[in-house]
Amino acid sequence: MSDKKLTNLDFYEQKTVQFLTELDPIILKDEEKIRHYAYSLLVMAITKHFWNGNKEGNKKVSYPLNPKDSNEFEFDSYLGHNICAIAVDKNGKVIDFEFNHNKVFKSSIEHAETRLVRRIYNLAQLHETYKFSDESFQRKDEANTFNDVSIYTSLESCSQCSGVMALAKVKEIIYLQEDPGMYKVGNILRNLTKKIVGYNNNDLEAPLPISADLFGFSYKKKLEEAYDQFTDDMDRYSAEYKLIEKDEDKKAEYIKLNRHFSLKDGKPKYSNSLTSFLCTQNAYKIYSEAEEVLKSKDEYQLLAIIVSNLNANNNVELNSLINNHITLSNEFTRNTDYNWEDFFRVNFSNEILEYKPDNSNDPEVKNNLEVLREVLSFYKYIKTISSRATQHK
């Protein structure tokens, strides 16, 4: 009899690829969805704030599909793609953020999640009192890990970032838009490293991928539908251009229609990549809608807007109150004097306001209201003194 120890690879060997890419069901409570929703809004707001669509350079190149007068970084050099990630510790504190910086380093591996993990390791070395978890500093010769850290990313992670986060033992990775070109690699890596009874596993466990669909994040669907439309348009425009490109007159007239991603030296480019989409006006508009929510006057108003947008609720009381106040919530910018604190104190149990993960009694762990304050505070930091390209903490 063979004494070979079975691994997860043996478990999945006779299964279908679809089975390997499917995760176990993830059930989130309403109170958990609020936290995920708030941090996800922050990711989109940071991305929008530092938006730059000059993917092919900012000299003698036009981008007819890009936003006009988007922000103060519009005419800066293109440092990397508009993809952002933030890390949140076990207490609900935002540790830091990072961006894709492929362009500035002339590299294909300077991705947001990888850069974020590397940055936080560096911060821990500089400031040794910071703890990733209660056990992190029991022995000096043990590497810090991210067991209690959640990473939120604007785009589903690639194989590199999934591997880096697995090695760092990141707890979970929450993504706001699917990347069809990554083939669910995060799900696959999770399944191949998760604990399965009867199979031998090492201590390596890839982070749990959580799609923003699971907490009713409506911007995810908007982004994915807009990207599908973008790829359809680019493919169609490219095909139309090829039919007439040898006719100089027709070509000149077609170019005037601005049906291309970029134009340099009279030559149009029809890029249908996801990173090109994330330069366009349509993508920028969706990110701007998300950022507007963080302009709430306080955490109670922010909570009202999040609750009104959660479309995956099973709580009858919550749904009823949402339906009764949906118009007021959606018109929050015109109701700045409305007392949302009284609204929640009167109509909701304290659970929705004071919820902490795992019923923690630790005063360092932020409840839902404190999480919303944290998000609004970090957003203010982003708008005032932070920088995309240099150390920001």
Side-chain angles (χ1 to χ4, degrees):
M1 180 182 294
S2 172
D3 58 355
K4 175 188 175 183
K5 294 182 178 180
L6 298 178
T7 68
N8 284 16
L9 190 59
D10 297 306
F11 176 83
Y12 284 102
E13 194 171 34
Q14 303 301 321
K15 304 290 195 294
T16 64
V17 173
Q18 180 179 354
F19 190 84
L20 180 59
T21 61
E22 291 179 348
L23 296 172
D24 295 332
I26 301 172
I27 307 299
L28 299 174
K29 296 191 292 185
D30 294 333
E31 294 79 11
E32 293 174 299
K33 293 176 184 178
I34 289 171
R35 300 169 81 91
H36 284 312
Y37 206 109
Y39 293 124
S40 299
L41 287 173
L42 180 59
V43 171
M44 294 191 73
I46 296 172
T47 308
K48 186 266 182 182
H49 177 69
F50 291 108
W51 194 275
N52 185 310
N54 302 323
K55 187 180 179 184
E56 309 295 335
N58 57 359
K59 295 181 179 179
K60 299 180 180 180
V61 186
S62 63
Y63 302 92
L65 302 182
N66 284 14
K68 304 297 186 291
D69 302 321
S70 58
N71 60 33
E72 61 186 291
F73 307 102
E74 179 185 2
F75 300 106
D76 288 354
S77 297
Y78 189 80
L79 302 177
H81 306 313
N82 293 314
I83 302 170
C84 175
I86 67 171
V88 179
D89 72 12
K90 67 166 189 169
N91 295 330
K93 180 178 177 58
V94 179
I95 304 171
D96 216 333
F97 73 96
E98 256 299 355
F99 268 88
N100 176 297
H101 276 173
N102 279 2
K103 192 75 171 182
V104 70
F105 289 106
K106 294 181 172 60
S107 165
S108 60
I109 64 173
E110 293 294 328
H111 294 188
E113 302 96 303
T114 294
R115 288 176 55 80
L116 182 60
V117 169
R118 192 164 62 234
R119 173 188 287 279
I120 295 174
Y121 271 129
N122 290 339
L123 287 174
Q125 295 299 319
L126 292 171
H127 185 51
E128 204 173 61
T129 58
Y130 178 78
K131 292 186 178 182
F132 295 95
S133 65
D134 287 340
E135 295 77 30
S136 291
F137 288 91
Q138 286 186 2
R139 290 178 57 187
K140 286 288 184 180
D141 59 344
E142 290 183 345
N144 299 321
T145 57
F146 288 62
N147 299 77
D148 298 316
V149 174
S150 302
I151 291 181
Y152 292 76
T153 179
S154 58
L155 185 65
E156 187 177 12
S157 301
C158 70
S159 54
Q160 172 198 245
C161 294
S162 297
V164 167
M165 290 187 292
L167 290 172
K169 299 184 181 179
V170 171
K171 174 186 175 184
E172 57 192 7
I173 174 70
I174 299 90
Y175 61 93
L176 312 187
Q177 181 179 359
E178 291 184 10
D179 185 345
M182 291 300 107
Y183 310 108
K184 299 291 184 184
V185 67
N187 292 17
I188 294 171
L189 194 55
R190 172 69 178 190
N191 282 332
L192 289 176
T193 58
K194 71 181 182 182
K195 306 301 180 187
I196 301 179
V197 176
Y199 290 82
N200 182 51
N201 298 94
N202 58 29
D203 291 334
L204 178 69
E205 187 171 33
L208 175 65
I210 298 178
S211 167
D213 289 330
L214 295 176
F215 50 91
F217 199 66
S218 59
Y219 304 101
K220 181 176 184 289
K221 182 179 179 181
K222 290 181 180 180
L223 285 167
E224 290 169 354
E225 290 179 346
Y227 174 56
D228 287 343
Q229 185 63 56
F230 174 77
T231 57
D232 289 346
D233 289 345
M234 285 294 104
D235 290 345
R236 185 174 74 256
Y237 298 157
S238 177
E240 291 172 351
Y241 181 76
K242 287 179 180 179
L243 293 175
I244 52 89
E245 64 178 330
K246 292 183 180 180
D247 186 319
E248 292 299 325
D249 292 335
K250 289 183 178 180
K251 184 172 71 172
E253 288 302 313
Y254 192 82
I255 289 175
K256 290 179 181 178
L257 297 176
N258 287 330
R259 293 177 176 175
H260 45 266
F261 172 69
S262 62
L263 182 70
K264 184 176 183 180
D265 298 328
K267 296 180 180 180
K269 184 171 182 177
Y270 298 92
S271 173
N272 64 1
S273 70
L274 213 161
T275 54
S276 293
F277 164 70
L278 291 173
C279 293
T280 66
Q281 168 67 26
N282 288 341
Y284 181 78
K285 180 180 178 181
I286 297 169
Y287 274 81
S288 298
E289 289 175 7
E291 185 196 34
E292 283 298 311
V293 179
L294 292 191
K295 295 179 181 179
S296 302
K297 69 173 183 177
D298 58 26
E299 64 271 21
Y300 291 98
Q301 189 178 58
L302 175 57
L303 178 61
I305 300 163
I306 291 175
V307 167
S308 73
N309 283 288
L310 285 176
N311 54 18
N313 266 295
N314 296 316
N315 186 312
V316 176
E317 176 190 9
L318 194 58
N319 275 327
S320 176
L321 286 168
I322 289 172
N323 292 333
N324 290 337
H325 294 272
I326 188 79
T327 302
L328 187 58
S329 294
N330 285 343
E331 296 178 352
F332 72 97
T333 55
R334 295 185 291 279
N335 290 277
T336 55
D337 294 329
Y338 189 82
N339 193 324
W340 284 108
E341 179 176 0
D342 284 351
F343 169 81
F344 280 102
R345 295 294 182 189
V346 170
N347 293 293
F348 288 81
S349 68
N350 285 337
E351 179 71 9
I352 198 170
L353 306 176
E354 299 176 4
Y355 169 82
K356 293 184 178 183
D358 303 319
N359 296 316
S360 174
N361 293 318
D362 186 343
E364 295 297 317
V365 176
K366 298 180 185 297
N367 63 29
N368 275 4
L369 275 183
E370 291 167 333
V371 161
L372 298 181
R373 291 190 197 112
E374 171 77 6
V375 166
L376 291 174
S377 175
F378 202 87
Y379 173 63
K380 183 177 179 181
Y381 159 72
I382 292 296
K383 297 287 286 185
T384 52
I385 60 175
S386 73
S387 171
R388 167 176 172 154
T390 60
Q391 293 287 342
H392 16 82
K393 273 197 175 182

